[in-house]
Amino acid sequence: MVHAHMTAWFLALVLFFVALGLHKSGKEKGFKVLKMILRVLYILIIATGVGLLLSLSNISMMYILKAAVGVWVIAMLEMILGRTAKRESTKVLWIQFIIAILLVLYLGFSLPLGTYLFKG
Ligand code: HEM
């Protein structure tokens, strides 16, 4: 489950930047298609994340925080693409995205399932 989760969010991040690139080069159709594919990936990220939560016998506060920040990252991806499509300012969203992604990577890798990078 942790690998499916990793694959889903990694793919989502890559496709997010591809989508921004397509928008920049004026390829509106490709941009729209990627936005739809990304929405499917958001559901997969959340489903695998919830699956991981359900696999725990004891859900601590850190896991709840990890899940909440994960949802925050997804919200930022969706909102950045939405506002980019409308050609509105995305500066505040980008700042939030950077904070949230750093936080979620730290929390994810410091929790015991899967890769355990930051053993505190
Ligand atoms: C784009 C959003 C997200 C990113 C970048 C992300 C990233 C990560 C990373 C890096 C890990 C650690 C994987 C490993 O240890 O091998 C992880 C694990 C986990 N994620 Fe996410 N995640 C996201 C969204 C979510 C959501 C929405 C939920 C819950 C609904 C969630 C729940 C979990 C849980 C429960 C774990 C297991 C924690 C552990 O390692 O013990 N994640 N995630």
Side-chain angles (χ1 to χ4, degrees):
M1 188 63 97
V2 88
H3 296 119
H5 187 63
M6 290 259 255
T7 311
W9 66 251
F10 187 77
L11 198 61
L13 285 182
V14 173
L15 293 184
F16 169 72
F17 287 104
V18 174
L20 286 175
L22 286 177
H23 183 264
K24 227 178 176 166
S25 49
K27 299 198 171 67
E28 281 310 309
K29 199 161 180 193
F31 176 64
K32 275 198 179 142
V33 171
L34 274 190
K35 273 208 294 190
M36 287 195 280
I37 298 175
L38 274 167
R39 291 193 181 126
V40 177
L41 284 173
Y42 300 154
I43 294 172
L44 284 177
I45 297 169
I46 294 170
T48 51
V50 169
L52 284 166
L53 285 176
L54 293 178
S55 75
L56 297 163
S57 52
N58 179 18
I59 302 176
S60 69
M61 249 344 259
M62 286 310 263
Y63 279 99
I64 311 250
L65 191 63
K66 160 71 189 62
V69 180
V71 172
W72 183 18
V73 173
I74 294 175
M76 289 309 105
L77 297 178
E78 173 65 19
M79 286 173 74
I80 288 172
L81 292 181
R83 290 187 69 108
T84 301
K86 288 193 252 163
R87 299 182 193 279
E88 291 171 359
S89 164
T90 51
K91 198 170 159 199
V92 182
L93 297 176
W94 274 107
I95 296 170
Q96 289 189 59
F97 168 71
I98 291 165
I99 298 171
I101 190 81
L102 290 177
L103 209 58
V104 88
L105 290 177
Y106 174 72
L107 287 170
F109 287 129
S110 66
L111 285 167
L113 299 181
T115 316
Y116 193 11
L117 285 183
F118 310 115
K119 301 177 183 76

